[in-house]
């Protein structure tokens, strides 16, 4: 699959992993670190990242009286992704920005494929169609035991969303899915042991990403951070 590198001057980094694995915490810290290094950074998330896609996110995370078929869930996610790619990610990459995205296509493979049991080949084809084959240059998968991640989510005092309430088996399959994806694409996907402290995970992430950027030829960093504060906190 062609990655963003052949299509644009920016760097596209995605953070993946199960519930409560620390993606959002580390996305904020990584963006601060990259900004301090002189990169122009855009932090965004999925599902979401545009006004319309954030509305789809609400549908996906809310509880509903009618059941949502796995196919419906996948189609909603892909619809939101297309909006996000067209309106936010591609333009930012074209401007040479570093895009740090909290979840992207690998979550679809892990959750809807390995978790819900949808056909992986169909999902991959549909995802390629939805993204125009845009793929991240680098993906970090935050790996924690399911019980640890769910415990952290509960500790956040966050109301339980639709996915938090899934059975433990579902979350275990998702985790196994991320492992399988990393094994298939070891050059793009790096696993991060996210069970240690926030600071220790942060140091590892900084080390991995900084070294990765150094070994890949990207345009000279610019100064200025650019975020979407109205969409994500
Ligand atoms: N390494 C860590 N050790 C202990 N607690 C952590 C660690 N990383 C994050 N947390 C805490 O766990 C909770 C969930 O973290 P965070 O929101 O970053 O995870 P997430 O992967 O984005 O979750 P979600 O899947 O719900 O989006 C937060 O309260 C956060 O402070
Ligand atoms: Mg999060």
């Amino acid at each position: 699959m062609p990655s963003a590198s052949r299509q644009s001057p920016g760097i596209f980094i995605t953070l993946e992993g199960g519930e409560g694995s620390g993606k959002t915490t580390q996305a904020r810290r990584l963006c601060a670190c990259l900004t301090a290094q002189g990169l122009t950074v855009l932090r965004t998330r999925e599902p979401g990242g545009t006004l319309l896609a954030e509305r789809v996110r609400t549908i996906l995370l809310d509880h509903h009286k009618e059941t949502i078929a796995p196919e419906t869930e996948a189609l909603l996610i892909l619809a939101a992704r297309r909006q996000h790619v067209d309106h936010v990610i591609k333009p930012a990459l074209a401007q040479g920005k570093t895009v740090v995205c909290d979840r992207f296509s690998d979550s679809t493979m892990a959750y809807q494929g390995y978790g819900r049991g949808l056909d992986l080949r169909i999902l991959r084809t549909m995802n390629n169609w939805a993204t125009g084959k845009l793929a991240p240059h680098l993906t970090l998968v935050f790996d924690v035991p399911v019980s640890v991640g769910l415990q952290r989510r509960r500790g956040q005092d966050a109301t339980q969303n639709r996915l938090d309430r899934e059975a433990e088996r579902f979350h275990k399959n998702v985790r196994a899915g991320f492992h399988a994806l990393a094994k298939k694409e070891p050059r793009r996907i790096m696993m991060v042991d996210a069970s240690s402290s926030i600071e220790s995970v942060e140091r590892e992430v900084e080390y991995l990403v900084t070294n990765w950027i150094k070994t890949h030829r990207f345009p000279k960093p610019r100064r200025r951070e650019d975020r979407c504060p109205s969409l994500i906190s």
Side-chain angles (χ1 to χ4, degrees):
M1 185 197 296
S3 72
S5 59
R6 291 185 210 141
Q7 300 170 355
S8 60
I11 309 174
F12 186 22
I13 300 171
T14 56
L15 306 188
E16 297 277 10
E19 309 300 302
S21 56
K23 301 174 295 297
T24 304
T25 305
Q26 297 301 334
R28 288 198 188 103
R29 289 169 183 240
L30 175 62
C31 287
C33 162
L34 295 177
T35 301
Q37 290 178 18
L39 291 168
T40 305
V41 180
L42 174 77
R43 180 165 65 86
T44 186
R45 72 175 181 188
E46 287 218 350
T50 78
L51 291 172
L52 194 146
E54 288 287 329
R55 289 176 73 174
V56 176
R57 178 188 182 89
T58 306
I59 295 173
L60 287 162
L61 294 181
D62 275 357
H63 302 280
H64 303 280
K65 281 191 181 143
E66 79 189 59
T67 54
I68 300 183
E71 291 82 355
T72 308
E73 189 181 58
L75 289 165
L76 285 168
I77 288 165
L78 294 178
R81 179 162 303 140
R82 181 62 186 217
Q83 288 301 110
H84 193 207
V85 165
D86 279 359
H87 292 277
V88 175
I89 300 178
K90 272 191 180 169
L93 292 173
Q95 290 165 26
K97 290 178 182 165
T98 298
V99 176
V100 174
C101 189
D102 190 337
R103 291 197 187 280
F104 194 64
S105 300
D106 296 300
S107 276
T108 309
M109 300 305 292
Y111 280 74
Q112 281 65 51
Y114 291 89
R116 302 273 190 228
L118 292 183
D119 186 299
L120 293 171
R121 277 193 314 170
I122 293 176
L123 267 185
R124 200 175 286 283
T125 302
M126 292 190 62
N127 184 65
N128 284 343
W129 175 67
T131 59
K133 296 194 176 172
L134 180 79
H137 295 106
L138 173 66
T139 297
L140 302 181
V141 172
F142 294 89
D143 187 49
V144 281
V146 166
S147 56
V148 173
L150 293 178
Q151 191 58 44
R152 284 182 188 169
R153 288 271 305 140
R154 281 185 213 112
Q156 259 183 318
D157 200 23
T159 44
Q160 297 273 293
N161 68 37
R162 202 171 56 85
L163 291 174
D164 290 323
R165 291 221 189 139
E166 286 293 339
E168 194 177 339
R169 172 50 41 205
F170 170 80
H171 292 292
K172 285 190 169 162
N173 288 342
V174 169
R175 186 181 184 205
F178 280 122
H179 283 252
L181 293 167
K183 211 170 159 193
K184 265 190 223 158
E185 284 189 76
R187 284 166 63 86
R188 174 175 68 86
I189 305 179
M190 294 183 187
M191 298 294 290
V192 175
D193 177 0
S195 51
S196 54
S197 72
I198 290 178
E199 290 70 27
S200 142
V201 177
E202 178 184 6
R203 277 193 297 275
E204 186 179 353
V205 169
E206 284 187 18
Y207 175 81
L208 289 173
V209 175
T210 305
N211 276 298
W212 185 89
I213 289 176
K214 269 189 209 150
T215 58
H216 291 74
R217 277 190 231 116
F218 283 101
K220 229 179 148 30
R222 302 170 191 183
R223 290 222 157 264
R224 194 164 59 83
E225 184 178 21
D226 193 354
R227 295 185 179 199
C228 291
S230 61
L231 297 178
I232 59 170
S233 55

